Amino acid sequence: MLSIGIDVSKGKSTVCGMKPGGEIVYAPFEVQHTREGMSELVSLLRSSGEEVRAVLESTGSYHCPVVAALLENGIFISVVNSLRMKRFCSQSIRKVKTDRIDAKELHDDE
């Protein structure tokens, strides 16, 4: 199984892919919320040949293009409440906040 953490922003997302045990398959990278960007993301996830499960935060309407693209292509997706995610991440002693770290944290919450 391949777990995908997606940190959503306005117009783009940061994506990180990991296998159970923490092996990073896709180091954090950015994808644009365009038709081409979503198509590339879906192609990448499908090319893994594994079951894919994606997790992302609910962010107003910014997450909608990502959710739509993944659902239309039969990829499992879990949309997590932003407040719940913030509380989960604040349990760590780390004080750093970046999209790359958030994408990895979303994976760990699954």
Side-chain angles (χ1 to χ4, degrees), residues 11 15 40 55 61:
V15 179
E40 290 173 9
V55 180
S61 62

Side-chain angles (χ1 to χ4, degrees), residues 25-44:
V25 177
Y26 302 122
F29 65 94
E30 287 187 356
V31 61
Q32 298 296 313
H33 294 176
T34 61
R35 189 178 308 264
E36 295 79 22
M38 294 296 98
S39 179
E40 290 173 9
L41 177 60
V42 168
S43 294
L44 177 68

Side-chain angles (χ1 to χ4, degrees), residues 6-13 33 56-67 79-83 85 106:
I6 305 173
D7 185 59
V8 179
S9 303
K10 182 178 181 182
K12 67 180 180 179
S13 291
H33 294 176
L56 57 84
E57 290 179 317
S58 172
T59 55
S61 62
Y62 297 154
H63 67 285
C64 291
V66 181
V67 171
V79 180
V80 180
N81 178 285
S82 299
L83 181 58
M85 192 65 221
L106 282 164

Side-chain angles (χ1 to χ4, degrees), residues 1 11-12 19-20 24 31 34 36-37 40 51 60 73 83 93-95 97 101 108:
M1 182 178 75
K12 67 180 180 179
K19 287 190 174 188
I24 296 177
V31 61
T34 61
E36 295 79 22
E40 290 173 9
E51 176 186 3
N73 288 281
L83 181 58
I93 357 178
R94 104 177 141 80
K95 299 292 183 194
K97 180 183 181 333
I101 291 172
D108 292 341

Side-chain angles (χ1 to χ4, degrees), residues 77-89:
I77 188 153
S78 178
V79 180
V80 180
N81 178 285
S82 299
L83 181 58
R84 180 174 177 237
M85 192 65 221
K86 181 177 179 175
R87 287 182 179 156
F88 173 79
C89 290

